[in-house]
Amino acid sequence: MLVLPIKPNGEEEKPSAVVSCHSHVQKLEMDSSNSDKQNNNQSVNEDPAGVDNEFCPGFKDVDAFVKYGLGTVVAATKASASLPQVGDEYDLYRSFPGFQEFCETQGDGLLHCMSQIMHHHGCRAHMRDRNKLTGLEERFDLVVDSNDVILEKVGILLDDAAGVNRSQQPVMPAGFQPPKIVVSSWNRKGGDSGSGRSSETFRLLQAKNVTRPQLKFREKVDNSNTPFTPKIFVKPNAIKPLPSYFTNKHIRKERPEDLDVPAALADFIHQQRTQEHVEDMFAHPYQYELDHLALPENLLSKPEPQMYKPLAETKCSFIDTLEDLVAVNEKLAKTSEFAVDLEHHSYRSFLGITCLMQISTRDEDFIIDTLELRSELYILNEAFTDPAIVKVFHGADSDIEWLQKDLGLYIVNMFDTHQASRTLNLGRHSLDHLLKLFCNVDSDKRYQLADWRIRPLPDEMFQYARADTHYLLYVYDRLRVDLWEVGNGQPALLQMVWHKSKDISLKKYMKPALGREGLAHGPICHLLA
């Protein structure tokens, strides 16, 4: 099997990091190979009559070949423990030009060998001729495809050797892979037993050749091992002013990842620069406003549900320019409530990327391209933090963190329909269940795992994203009615949901720590302790 190691961030892999371990392992394998081959050759010479019956050159039978192969793997595995570890140790070795040159040479040799193996099996094999920016992802795709081809051949040969009769399939050229349909519980739609229709499967809409949006971001993605600090630099609807750390651009732009120094030294520099601002850096910018949020009486009383408009009669706009975004913000500032949802991409990405934002008012739907407008979306804080406007989410725990991490947005006065469903003990708390229960709408989940980086956005994905918020304000009305009635005409249950929703709004995004043991589970504020 071909293996191509990658870093978790997926964006800035150093070639020397890939090859350093492989070069040591390759040397150990060669040494083990020479010694084992000598032993096998000696056994063959002792039995000249068996030379013509060799399993393959140097090995008289399958057992000898398997024994040699397993010995090589075990020796390489044991030796890997002595290789330079990622972090301070590897950074020290990398500081020597001779080590870097050796790693690059060995890396080119390994890629050449892998290309030859892939070419032998009829796979695409241009491993070395790749763009430095996108090469790692393309190489990984090549390795995955090649592994599929090789392992499929191995499976066929094992079945043939075991005497398993396989169904006859059309003969395809070596390396050919027909399009696959991923079938699982999320994309299998059972047929109607009464109508006699068979079950259907939905295709997973992915695109391997999407240009990575990170390359166009004005602000570089921060995959360093330093703590996350809020991106906010202006604070609309403020009761307590924003700390000077966020308003002073000179302080905020002193980032250690911009220096060509080892990771451990960058962390130390970061500590020294920000020591006096630690308390401000890790405080929630809107904590004071959320702690002093007072709900008006109409939000704690029984509402009159307002029926949603049919999709065909509701205007929906795709927002990908600053001018249109400003117009959306002005419309939201004039409303009393609106619904929000996000589409996030995390496949082969270290921290993930927010790709799309859906917003619905009572009269209009908006689909906002958060990749194109990533640096401008902070202006929505004017509406998002207005305590007089209700923001309706469903299951906002992750959304709150994504808004902070990617867009610098915060929420004041939120109602989470997921928390309302749990308070009412509805049994199932998913959005598709609430849509079916209150709107009699069947939620189409075939694009739930689609690649939301695709541009232009396919119409089917556009309609899927729109449906997530189009009905949510009506669901919000119906849930408040049920909370009022179940609470015997008292606001206790409504107050409980508002309180839980406020606690979610107070969540702060924390970057995962990447240490010697891999990905840690806790926040990395301890770096500044």
Side-chain angles (χ1 to χ4, degrees):
M1 181 186 299
L2 301 176
V3 178
L4 184 61
I6 62 172
K7 271 190 173 182
N9 59 6
E11 284 96 21
E12 300 178 0
E13 176 72 348
K14 305 294 189 218
S16 59
V18 175
V19 301
S20 61
C21 292
H22 286 74
S23 61
H24 288 74
V25 173
Q26 185 185 48
K27 182 177 183 301
L28 292 169
E29 290 180 348
M30 292 175 62
D31 295 341
S32 176
S33 172
N34 293 333
S35 61
D36 285 351
K37 281 189 176 181
Q38 290 176 1
N39 295 334
N40 282 299
N41 289 334
Q42 290 176 1
S43 62
V44 171
N45 292 333
E46 293 173 358
D47 185 15
V51 173
D52 295 336
N53 297 323
E54 283 185 341
F55 169 69
C56 62
F59 303 97
K60 63 179 180 179
D61 53 28
V62 176
D63 290 338
F65 179 79
V66 171
K67 183 178 179 181
Y68 161 73
L70 290 177
T72 302
V73 172
V74 170
T77 303
K78 290 181 178 179
S80 64
S82 63
L83 297 175
Q85 300 298 312
V86 176
D88 298 344
E89 184 179 355
Y90 179 75
D91 290 337
L92 175 62
Y93 280 93
R94 192 179 60 177
S95 64
F96 296 97
F99 179 78
Q100 293 188 24
E101 182 180 354
F102 175 78
C103 290
E104 292 174 1
T105 302
Q106 295 299 318
D108 289 340
L110 286 171
L111 292 178
H112 177 69
C113 292
M114 294 171 69
S115 297
Q116 287 185 321
I117 295 173
M118 295 159 68
H119 179 73
H120 175 75
H121 289 280
C123 308
R124 291 181 298 136
H126 299 289
M127 292 291 292
R128 291 187 295 175
D129 302 330
R130 294 286 159 184
N131 185 282
K132 291 184 178 180
L133 294 175
T134 60
L136 182 61
E137 186 172 348
E138 294 179 6
R139 287 172 179 171
F140 190 90
D141 290 338
L142 286 176
V143 172
V144 171
D145 293 341
S146 301
N147 279 334
D148 289 342
V149 173
I150 296 171
L151 292 176
E152 176 66 17
K153 290 182 179 180
V154 171
I156 293 174
L157 293 174
L158 289 175
D159 286 344
D160 290 341
V164 178
N165 293 325
R166 299 173 61 89
S167 58
Q168 294 296 324
Q169 298 291 340
V171 178
M172 297 294 181
F176 176 81
Q177 287 185 286
K180 297 179 180 179
I181 297 179
V182 180
V183 181
S184 186
S185 58
W186 67 269
N187 71 336
R188 183 184 293 110
K189 181 179 180 181
D192 186 354
S193 58
S195 62
R197 291 182 299 177
S198 59
S199 62
E200 301 175 0
T201 54
F202 299 132
R203 63 194 178 96
L204 178 63
L205 192 55
Q206 296 287 340
K208 289 186 177 181
N209 298 321
V210 172
T211 301
R212 293 194 298 171
Q214 301 96 309
L215 302 179
K216 297 192 300 182
F217 290 166
R218 294 182 188 175
E219 186 176 340
K220 181 182 176 182
V221 175
D222 181 12
N223 286 333
S224 69
N225 209 29
T226 55
F228 172 81
T229 54
K231 294 185 175 182
I232 189 170
F233 59 93
V234 292
K235 186 179 179 182
N237 305 301
I239 300 177
K240 181 179 180 180
L242 195 65
S244 60
Y245 172 81
F246 300 107
T247 57
N248 191 326
K249 293 183 179 181
H250 176 71
I251 298 176
R252 289 189 299 109
K253 287 188 176 181
E254 289 183 335
R255 304 295 297 169
E257 61 270 17
D258 295 331
L259 303 176
D260 187 16
V261 296
L265 182 56
D267 291 345
F268 176 75
I269 295 174
H270 185 74
Q271 292 179 38
Q272 298 303 311
R273 285 178 175 174
T274 60
Q275 191 171 11
E276 60 182 297
H277 304 285
V278 169
E279 184 176 351
D280 293 336
M281 286 170 55
F282 299 107
H284 192 292
Y286 280 91
Q287 180 161 355
Y288 186 86
E289 287 74 12
L290 285 166
D291 288 341
H292 293 79
L293 178 64
L295 295 174
E297 290 297 327
N298 67 304
L299 296 182
L300 296 175
S301 58
K302 182 179 179 179
E304 186 66 32
Q306 181 178 339
M307 178 57 68
Y308 55 87
K309 291 184 178 181
L311 285 172
E313 300 176 11
T314 307
K315 180 182 178 182
C316 185
S317 306
F318 186 75
I319 309 300
D320 60 354
T321 66
L322 179 58
E323 181 181 1
D324 290 340
L325 181 63
V326 172
V328 170
N329 184 62
E330 292 176 353
K331 291 181 179 180
L332 296 179
K334 298 176 181 178
T335 64
S336 58
E337 69 270 308
F338 58 84
V340 186
D341 189 34
L342 301 176
E343 301 297 343
H344 191 258
H345 175 85
S346 57
Y347 182 57
R348 294 182 188 168
S349 176
F350 183 33
L351 299 177
I353 308 170
T354 302
C355 300
L356 215 63
M357 179 189 295
Q358 304 98 280
I359 299 178
S360 292
T361 65
R362 298 284 184 179
D363 303 311
E364 193 170 357
D365 299 327
F366 305 98
I367 308 296
I368 302 176
D369 187 350
T370 56
L371 298 178
E372 186 68 27
L373 297 173
R374 180 183 174 94
S375 300
E376 286 82 21
L377 278 164
Y378 68 90
I379 68 174
L380 291 182
N381 268 326
E382 183 179 353
F384 277 34
T385 61
D386 189 338
I389 304 175
V390 177
K391 278 66 67 172
V392 182
F393 284 74
H394 180 83
D397 297 75
S398 296
D399 293 337
I400 291 296
E401 296 187 359
W402 296 338
L403 287 172
Q404 296 177 25
K405 174 177 69 73
D406 292 333
L407 311 176
L409 290 173
Y410 293 85
I411 305 296
V412 176
N413 194 5
M414 179 184 73
F415 186 94
D416 191 330
T417 55
H418 176 80
Q419 296 301 324
S421 175
R422 294 178 65 89
T423 303
L424 289 168
N425 293 318
L426 295 183
R428 293 176 56 195
H429 312 301
S430 61
L431 178 58
D432 58 327
H433 176 66
L434 297 182
L435 293 179
K436 183 65 176 178
L437 178 64
F438 295 118
C439 308
N440 196 28
V441 171
D442 292 315
S443 181
D444 187 354
K445 294 300 180 184
R446 76 179 80 182
Y447 303 110
Q448 190 173 23
L449 299 180
D451 190 338
W452 291 99
R453 301 173 302 167
I454 298 175
R455 297 294 184 274
L457 197 66
D459 182 66
E460 55 265 44
M461 293 174 64
F462 183 92
Q463 297 302 329
Y464 166 85
R466 178 188 184 185
D468 278 352
T469 56
H470 178 78
Y471 307 96
L472 197 53
L473 290 177
Y474 177 72
V475 172
Y476 157 68
D477 291 342
R478 291 288 302 272
L479 286 170
R480 285 194 296 151
V481 170
D482 290 352
L483 288 167
W484 177 266
E485 293 178 348
V486 173
N488 297 317
Q490 298 298 319
L493 293 182
L494 278 167
Q495 288 176 330
M496 183 184 300
V497 175
W498 285 111
H499 181 73
K500 290 180 178 178
S501 299
K502 185 183 75 172
D503 288 343
I504 296 174
S505 298
L506 283 168
K507 289 183 64 175
K508 295 179 292 184
Y509 172 72
M510 297 289 186
K511 281 170 60 177
L514 187 65
R516 293 180 179 273
E517 302 299 326
L519 197 62
H521 296 288
I524 54 178
C525 292
H526 64 276
L527 291 175
L528 299 180

